Amino acid sequence: MTDTPTPPVAEDSVVRFLRGTRLQHDRVRDQWVIQAPERAFIADPVAAEILRLVDGTRPVAAIIDILAERFAAPRPVIAHDVLEMIASLAQRQVLTA
């Protein structure tokens, strides 16, 4: 794996999970897990809320709008958190735009 920086994600980007990567709910442990080839990540509750909206058709702006409304939070705060998390997961080769 190289340390090449991932380009920033824009609000008009449509993100999706990379092939072979998915979000799955572990009912036994009652937690969301990001499953990828030969690795897995436990998604914290905030990440799970965001990732459950990643469907490969919805732009990031729509995800931000949904979450801002759902949690009655300021849109700029939600936008910062969503864009930061998506960029981080893109760098880990979990999501792609």
Side-chain angles (χ1 to χ4, degrees), residues 7-26:
V9 177
E11 286 196 26
D12 62 348
S13 299
V14 175
V15 293
R16 64 177 174 78
F17 287 93
L18 283 170
R19 185 176 177 182
T21 304
R22 63 193 163 112
L23 180 68
Q24 181 176 358
H25 187 253
D26 179 339

Side-chain angles (χ1 to χ4, degrees), residues 22-42:
R22 63 193 163 112
L23 180 68
Q24 181 176 358
H25 187 253
D26 179 339
R27 288 184 291 245
V28 173
R29 293 177 185 82
D30 192 27
Q31 63 188 8
W32 289 93
V33 179
I34 302 165
Q35 301 223 334
E38 300 183 28
R39 59 199 167 125
F41 307 96
I42 296 173

Side-chain angles (χ1 to χ4, degrees), residues 62-75:
I63 293 171
I64 293 166
D65 292 340
I66 291 167
L67 294 171
E69 183 177 324
R70 183 179 293 166
F71 295 105
R75 191 182 189 287

